[in-house]
Amino acid sequence: MTTTPGPHAVPQVAMSSTSTLVTRTGSWKYQMPAYHDRVAPCNARCPVGIDIEGYMNLLREGRVDEARDLLLTENPLPAVTGRVCHHPCENACNRHALDGAVAIHAVERMLGDLAHQRPAPVVRGTPRAERVAVVGSGPAGLACGYHLARLGYGVTIFESADAAGGMLRLGIPEYRLRRDVLDRDIARVAAHGVEIKCGVRVGTDIAWSELTKSFNAVCISTGAHTSRALGVPGEDLAGVRPGLAFLREVNSGKRPALGQRVLVVGGGNTAMDCARSAMRLGAKVTVAYRRTREQMPAIKEEIEDAMREGAEFVFLANPLSFNETNGRVSAMVCERMALGEPDASGRRRPVPTGEQFTLEADTVLTAIGESSALQNFFPDVEGSDSGLRVDALGGTTRDLLYASGDVTDLERTVADALGAGKRAAIGIDRHLRHHHGDTAELNALRFAEGNLSAARWSGRDPIRRTAPLNTVVKPDDLNFTQFRRVERHADPHLPSDLAAQGFDEVNAGLSAADAMDEAQRCLNCGVCTECDVCLIFCPDAAITHAEGGAYVVAMDYCKGCGICAAECPRGAITMTQDRP
Ligand SMILES: Cc1cc2nc3c(=O)[nH]c(=O)nc-3n(C[C@H](O)[C@H](O)[C@H](O)COP(=O)(O)OP(=O)(O)OC[C@H]3O[C@@H](n4cnc5c(N)ncnc54)[C@H](O)[C@@H]3O)c2cc1C
Ligand code: SF4
Ligand code: SF4
């Protein structure tokens, strides 16, 4: 066949006049394709260990209830995390390289809210005789209790406060996490048969030794509730107070008088919540932080919201002392800092410049971090200033005593606490069932380097994967030419002037329809969705549908060219020299 030369001319091509079955090119190959599902980076990065790719895939197929159930297998509080998680999953999302990460938190929130309207069936394992005590009902304790109940154990959670939830109730304000939403997520844990005894402080109302005698295992999930002191002169003046105590008061419905000018010291979530709550009480707020905006540990959206709502920020400001007028704070004296070499956290260390300045204030809220009251615990349990030391399954240095969440020396976020509570539940189950041994086999329960999967531990993983131990899929492994660019859905927010007037929820969340659309943006990284691209592109027509799904490659005809692997949109085909 010939064509007229030109920019759009079809080049000469060879065509078979019969069938490609005549040409048995299989003997040419030195490599062959293998379908190996790999790990999506979002799954690997979620501290809870949620199979995000798995539920996105179910949503793509319209199997909404199954998506909800898969999410609930790993996460007891999805309506909570959909609202307040710092979503590291999205930072890792491969879609960044195309047109912006999938708004995973928004899809999770939609499924979490859906689970309130259309509850999932309660899952209980075969009932077991052993009983477990969990101390503390924050996300770590709730996750530990929930997963243990689903494994068949009787669980009692002891909580010193009047209601369950830990920092979700005591720390995080209602404009970020509505209490009816929190209550409904906690009710799911209770519906699994977990007994939650509020108003009981272990160590005061009931002895720790009593728990270890009466229960087969104990998990400490008491959090970190002691505000760190600045350690500067004047900190004990009236008007200078720990930000966490202020938040607890506001979150219990009180409205403390603060005066006109409020100074918040710190750059984390507690500082942002203090600033935004104080503005809602009518104060003009300034946040003083000793490093720069880029180094603030608070969630990015929280910082943006605080700025939008009118908080002012003074960076590189380190408190030196407080001035008083009539026995009450009137100003904070600061030293201007500069950024020096990186410290252990990798952030550049603030170094003093010698320059001083003052910031006037009627109230100062300090929020430079929280620690746990370790002295209340067992003397034989190892720990450091950062918290109790635990192994990969939450085990402390005492047999059958576990710990999870902020009380340990691990990351302090809601998602990390949920993941740690799950690990402790698996650790307790493993111990009580006498499944000791090295932890190597636990790697089979992870998404690559991610957290443990309760679905895999319980043997109830509904997802068919061809290689659960595979590597994480990077953007370079994907074929972006197969995907259309589609803009990410932005969270709808209350207008800032309205938001700052009250405690109504600021982020209204995506509508169910928009969240379903957003789920369609997921590329299903590393996992074959049977999209047929490989089958269409194979020049030898060597790929066909296998019975019961997936594909089969006719090795007599596959010449090992690798076109299928290169064209696969998701990086689910690997060229290998091993026979599959
Ligand atoms: C103001 C604020 C805002 C935050 N915002 C975010 C956010 O937006 N996103 C995020 O990911 N993380 C956020 N965090 C961090 C997050 O809340 C914590 O990491 C998480 O709650 C830790 O969970 P936990 O279960 O370990 O402890 P907690 O949530 O602290 O729960 C511990 C529970 O144990 C109870 N307890 C303590 N001692 C005893 C005892 N002796 N007997 C019985 N009960 C006891 C406490 O009353 C409490 O209810 C925030 C923290 C604060 C303070
Ligand atoms: S819990 Fe957090 S990290 Fe995990 S999927 Fe949800 S938003 Fe992402
Ligand atoms: S595109 Fe989907 S599977 Fe891939 S990283 Fe993002 S959310 Fe995960």
Side-chain angles (χ1 to χ4, degrees):
M1 182 174 83
T2 52
T3 53
T4 316
H8 305 295
V10 179
Q12 288 192 337
V13 289
M15 289 183 67
S16 168
S17 57
T18 59
S19 143
T20 53
L21 292 181
V22 176
T23 330
R24 285 184 176 254
T25 49
S27 60
W28 306 357
K29 67 174 162 297
Y30 65 91
Q31 57 171 4
M32 64 201 86
Y35 290 85
H36 279 312
D37 286 347
R38 293 158 80 187
V39 178
C42 52
N43 284 20
R45 282 288 288 282
C46 168
V48 185
I50 297 172
D51 188 351
I52 301 161
E53 186 284 323
Y55 76 67
M56 291 286 184
N57 211 346
L58 291 167
L59 287 178
R60 188 178 55 79
E61 293 177 355
R63 295 155 68 185
V64 181
D65 286 350
E66 287 165 79
R68 171 203 63 192
D69 296 352
L70 185 61
L71 174 59
L72 288 172
T73 306
E74 308 299 341
N75 183 4
L77 312 176
V80 168
T81 44
R83 285 168 169 82
V84 303
C85 179
H86 63 305
H87 46 74
C89 54
E90 292 181 24
N91 300 339
C93 175
N94 279 334
R95 190 140 193 156
H96 262 302
L98 180 64
D99 53 9
V102 176
I104 300 169
H105 72 281
V107 180
E108 184 176 29
R109 172 176 171 157
M110 178 275 287
L111 281 178
D113 288 354
L114 173 96
H116 294 161
Q117 294 149 21
R118 219 158 63 208
V122 167
V123 175
R124 297 292 312 261
T126 314
R128 299 199 49 96
E130 298 97 332
R131 292 188 51 76
V132 181
V134 178
V135 187
S137 69
L142 289 170
C144 186
Y146 174 80
H147 291 294
L148 281 168
R150 287 167 75 102
L151 289 165
Y153 293 91
V155 182
T156 303
I157 299 182
F158 296 93
E159 168 55 54
S160 56
D162 294 339
M167 282 301 185
L168 304 175
R169 191 180 298 281
L170 306 169
I172 299 180
E174 287 190 55
Y175 57 79
R176 288 206 293 134
L177 179 56
R178 284 184 359 232
R179 294 310 185 246
D180 60 320
V181 170
L182 174 61
D183 289 342
R184 275 181 272 174
D185 265 8
I186 293 174
R188 173 179 312 108
V189 177
H192 279 73
V194 175
E195 182 186 24
I196 307 178
K197 286 191 171 174
C198 291
V200 182
R201 175 170 286 278
V202 177
T204 308
D205 302 319
I206 176 169
W208 286 98
S209 55
E210 181 60 33
L211 290 195
T212 46
K213 265 190 257 143
S214 322
F215 291 86
N216 299 87
V218 176
C219 184
I220 305 171
S221 308
T222 46
H225 289 236
T226 311
S227 293
R228 291 214 168 94
L230 293 171
V232 301
E235 196 171 358
D236 51 356
L237 283 170
V240 182
R241 54 182 310 203
L244 194 52
F246 161 71
L247 286 175
R248 286 181 83 130
E249 222 178 306
V250 174
N251 291 336
S252 70
K254 296 190 183 128
R255 299 292 177 252
L258 300 170
Q260 289 275 297
R261 298 157 307 175
V262 169
L263 199 53
V264 176
V265 184
N269 289 326
T270 308
M272 294 307 97
D273 283 335
C274 284
R276 297 177 69 192
S277 297
M279 283 190 282
R280 282 163 171 75
L281 300 186
K284 184 172 174 340
V285 172
T286 303
V287 178
Y289 179 51
R290 66 193 186 120
R291 302 184 196 235
T292 60
R293 176 174 177 181
E294 294 68 44
Q295 297 169 311
M296 287 175 72
I299 299 174
K300 193 172 112 272
E301 286 86 346
E302 262 243 81
I303 303 169
E304 287 165 359
D305 283 346
M307 288 183 167
R308 240 195 319 261
E309 289 167 10
E312 286 184 8
F313 284 72
V314 180
F315 294 109
L316 295 165
N318 193 39
L320 289 179
S321 62
F322 293 100
N323 292 343
E324 65 159 301
T325 305
N326 302 327
R328 199 184 155 85
V329 71
S330 57
M332 182 168 84
V333 181
C334 302
E335 176 163 20
R336 181 95 52 212
M337 308 300 273
L339 288 184
E341 293 301 310
D343 62 14
S345 71
R347 295 179 301 167
R348 288 178 66 192
R349 191 191 305 273
V351 289
T353 63
E355 184 195 338
Q356 293 192 5
F357 60 99
T358 55
L359 296 169
E360 294 183 344
D362 301 311
T363 297
V364 177
L365 302 171
T366 61
I368 58 161
E370 292 87 28
S371 59
S372 62
L374 279 180
Q375 66 275 16
N376 291 342
F377 302 122
F378 308 89
D380 56 334
V381 174
E382 272 179 29
S384 67
D385 282 352
S386 327
L388 297 179
R389 191 158 306 136
V390 288
D391 64 22
L393 290 174
T396 67
T397 38
R398 186 195 263 213
D399 222 18
L400 285 167
L401 185 67
Y402 287 75
S404 62
D406 282 9
V407 73
T408 70
D409 58 4
L410 302 176
E411 288 289 310
R412 290 184 173 174
T413 73
V414 173
D416 283 281
L418 288 164
K422 187 206 297 183
R423 287 198 299 279
I426 291 176
I428 291 168
D429 185 41
R430 182 183 164 101
H431 197 133
L432 294 177
R433 287 178 202 254
H434 309 293
H435 276 265
H436 289 285
D438 79 56
T439 50
E441 74 198 63
L442 290 177
N443 288 331
L445 305 178
R446 296 181 203 280
F447 297 108
E449 73 271 24
N451 198 19
L452 300 185
S453 153
R456 291 184 184 178
W457 176 254
S458 61
R460 291 195 287 254
D461 191 349
I463 303 278
R464 171 185 62 80
R465 282 186 210 281
T466 55
L469 281 184
N470 228 321
T471 46
V472 175
V473 174
K474 306 268 181 342
D476 284 353
D477 301 320
L478 305 182
N479 178 7
F480 285 118
T481 60
Q482 295 288 348
F483 298 109
R484 268 187 316 121
R485 292 173 72 85
V486 182
E487 209 173 314
R488 169 182 159 117
H489 289 80
D491 287 328
H493 279 62
L494 273 184
S496 322
D497 49 339
L498 262 185
Q501 282 173 24
F503 285 81
D504 289 346
E505 190 170 47
V506 173
N507 178 350
L510 297 186
S511 67
D514 283 352
M516 285 298 283
D517 275 355
E518 186 63 23
Q520 308 302 314
R521 290 182 70 240
C522 174
L523 308 175
N524 303 105
C525 302
V527 177
C528 172
T529 59
E530 294 168 37
C531 67
D532 282 354
V533 166
C534 53
L535 182 152
I536 293 164
F537 275 85
C538 175
D540 289 306
I543 301 174
T544 48
H545 276 284
E547 221 171 288
Y551 298 103
V552 62
V553 183
M555 288 300 169
D556 280 349
Y557 301 97
C558 166
K559 59 178 173 272
C561 65
I563 290 177
C564 53
E567 290 296 342
C568 171
R570 309 184 162 78
I573 304 177
T574 312
M575 294 308 290
T576 167
Q577 291 180 0
D578 302 326
R579 283 223 157 254

